[in-house]
């Protein structure tokens, strides 16, 4: 699943996907400057909890889903 967030005319990509390295999942945030933050999870419950935390952090930093 992929979501976009925007802030001050810039877009951030937020993705949850199956891991390329075998079993498990990855939470990937790609910032407008090209930086990529990847977190890996074996357990979907842990992924869901962390995903909620990361979305809250992004919102606190001023990121929001695009309106267009």
């Amino acid at each position: 699943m992929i979501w976009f967030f925007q802030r001050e005319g810039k877009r951030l990509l937020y993705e949850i996907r199956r891991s390329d390295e075998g079993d498990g999942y990855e939470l990937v945030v790609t910032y407008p400057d090209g930086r990529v933050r990847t977190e890996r999870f074996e357990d979907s419950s842990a992924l869901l909890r962390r995903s909620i935390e990361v979305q809250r952090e992004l919102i606190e930093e001023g990121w929001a889903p695009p309106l267009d």
Side-chain angles (χ1 to χ4, degrees):
M1 297 198 70
I2 299 174
W3 295 269
F4 293 94
F5 286 79
Q6 69 181 20
R7 178 179 76 182
E8 299 173 359
K10 297 179 182 175
R11 286 204 173 189
L12 170 147
L13 176 73
Y14 180 94
E15 179 179 7
I16 293 177
R17 63 186 183 203
R18 290 251 183 213
S19 176
D20 291 337
E21 299 177 3
D23 293 338
Y25 307 91
E26 295 177 337
L27 187 156
V28 182
V29 179
T30 305
Y31 293 90
D33 64 4
R35 287 179 299 130
V36 178
R37 181 172 95 191
T38 303
E39 298 181 32
R40 292 177 177 78
F41 301 87
E42 302 279 328
D43 169 347
S44 61
S45 296
L47 169 66
L48 179 59
R49 284 190 302 274
R50 180 63 181 140
S51 175
I52 292 167
E53 289 174 6
V54 171
Q55 288 183 33
R56 284 183 186 152
E57 290 170 7
L58 291 172
I59 290 167
E60 288 174 3
E61 293 172 4
W63 294 98
L67 300 175
D68 53 356

